[in-house]
Amino acid sequence: MSRLLKMTLLALTAAAPLVTGVLSGPALAASGGMKNVSFSATPVGDPPTLVFQEKNGKYVLGKGGPKATIKFRVKGEKRGRFRIVSYHLFNETSNNRITLVRNFSVKKLDKTIMHEIKPAELQSYADHGRKICEDEGDLQQEIRKTIKPGLTYRLDLQALIKQIGRDASSYRSAHASVPVRIICKPEPLRVIDADLSVTFDGSPLSCPVKATLKAKFKTNKPGTFKFNLYRGDGEFQTVTRTAGESKTVTFTKHYTFKKPTNRKYLVATIPSGASSGWVPMRVNCNNKTDGFQTAPKPNSNY
């Protein structure tokens, strides 16, 4: 058996999510039954990603992140009486074989393997990723982190070389280390209750009348949202409010009426969510606030 040759690609930092590397050169060219050997791993699209969604202050692992694919290429030429008879790809972290191609015998090998990483292959990183979200997550905005080096998704690509006429055989192998990215998503801001009320300063029967319209909102978390204040005739006003740590916020509007008025108002969040329902604002008065009033004429049909 020839000595097993292993070379490991370095994982990237967060600023450069993936590594591409080619393992070749004099050391491999002079090895065992193969020459001009090279292995490469090239990322295609996004890195392997775990997505965590915050719910009630805790992070729950989602169904999976964006598709992550790695393109592997293995090349080599036979030396002497050796032939290349198989190659395979496996997940070194879980020690599970992903691809195995065998029962052939060639003098020269040049194969490309496209491997799409399945969510199940990343399960061993879930606890570590969740802890990062719990320690560093932001309840207001999404964050993206790369799991620190040493906790990378590792794939191993090997080719089996066998000497014709003998039982002797050996593997030539290389490793590709790919950082695992995590996404910590905060729970979306929701307005869970909206209340609207009308109060009068004094009696609504004596003009001028001062009225106050007050809306009160309750949210599931601190944050900024918008709502529409609708009037019964179809007119509306868009308002922005920010709820603090109390998760409540109010909006107040003042009116002065000098004549009888019959209106109604409603508040509803944007996008649709909490709504107050219609609330009336009625003022029954006239400008004659003192003195005698003329009695109505008798009704002959009474």
Side-chain angles (χ1 to χ4, degrees), residues 5 15 41-42 49 52 85 175 205 235 272 286:
L5 299 177
T42 305
T49 303
F52 295 88
V85 297
H175 304 278
L205 302 177
E235 295 293 323
S272 60
N286 54 48

Side-chain angles (χ1 to χ4, degrees), residues 65-80:
K67 181 185 294 185
T69 301
I70 302 176
K71 180 173 73 174
F72 288 91
R73 188 177 183 186
V74 54
K75 296 174 64 177
E77 298 178 35
K78 67 95 176 180
R79 177 184 289 276

Side-chain angles (χ1 to χ4, degrees), residues 211-225:
T212 300
L213 184 73
K214 185 175 182 180
K216 184 176 181 179
F217 301 92
K218 184 174 180 57
T219 61
N220 66 323
K221 59 186 290 186
T224 300
F225 64 94

Side-chain angles (χ1 to χ4, degrees), residues 7-49:
M7 300 184 70
T8 304
L9 299 178
L10 294 176
L12 283 182
T13 62
L18 288 171
V19 168
T20 301
V22 177
L23 304 179
S24 60
L28 286 177
S31 63
M34 293 184 73
K35 62 182 180 178
N36 300 327
V37 179
S38 69
F39 295 86
S40 66
T42 305
V44 180
D46 289 293
T49 303

